[in-house]
Amino acid sequence: MIDDALTQLDHINMKGAKIVKEILLEAQDMAVKDHNVEFRSNLHISRAISSKGEHDKAIRIHAKGRYGIMNINYNHFYVCLKEGPPPKQEVVTGYDQAREYIENQRKRTIIRGL
């Protein structure tokens, strides 16, 4: 649920965690105001995507008439919230993966073979 994500982000002392927390709170408010979600805590994060945004160049002036060119990069962060509990995830153990691998190996055939 979204409350669990927010409490985890509270304990992470990084710049990105604070930004993501603000984004999640804003998305939660938008869901309640604009999309008729009844309860704030009944949301889960179905998708979170980050992509490149615009970039700018700036000049940083140094001593003795020298300068440096700085690249300023921006990015976009998209969050999709859905109402209700998150879907159940299957727990796949190493034994299950090994059994599936062996089954796939046994199903192999040589094309145009004897």
Side-chain angles (χ1 to χ4, degrees):
M1 302 303 275
I2 195 166
D3 296 332
D4 299 334
L6 291 172
T7 54
Q8 285 181 7
L9 288 172
D10 280 336
H11 298 295
I12 298 173
N13 190 18
M14 296 175 79
K15 176 184 173 183
K18 293 175 185 174
I19 295 170
V20 171
K21 183 181 175 189
E22 289 176 10
I23 292 169
L24 287 178
L25 288 172
E26 183 182 355
Q28 194 177 25
D29 290 338
M30 283 176 58
V32 172
K33 289 179 185 174
D34 301 336
H35 301 287
N36 299 326
V37 174
E38 194 171 355
F39 300 110
R40 291 177 173 273
S41 60
N42 195 20
L43 295 168
H44 71 275
I45 302 167
S46 67
R47 235 178 314 153
I49 300 170
S50 176
S51 65
K52 280 188 177 182
E54 297 179 359
H55 65 278
D56 290 335
K57 288 191 175 184
I59 295 176
R60 172 170 280 178
I61 299 172
H62 299 295
K64 297 183 181 177
R66 296 190 173 115
Y67 62 91
I69 297 175
M70 297 187 312
N71 293 321
I72 302 170
N73 297 318
Y74 298 98
N75 60 0
H76 304 290
F77 190 72
Y78 301 102
V79 177
C80 180
L81 300 177
K82 289 194 177 177
E83 200 169 6
K88 301 277 183 180
Q89 293 182 353
E90 292 184 24
V91 178
V92 180
T93 62
Y95 181 74
D96 296 333
Q97 291 176 351
R99 185 174 23 179
E100 183 179 342
Y101 174 76
I102 290 173
E103 287 174 7
N104 289 335
Q105 293 296 315
R106 289 180 178 160
K107 288 179 186 176
R108 292 185 303 174
T109 58
I110 298 174
I111 299 172
R112 295 187 187 93
L114 295 176

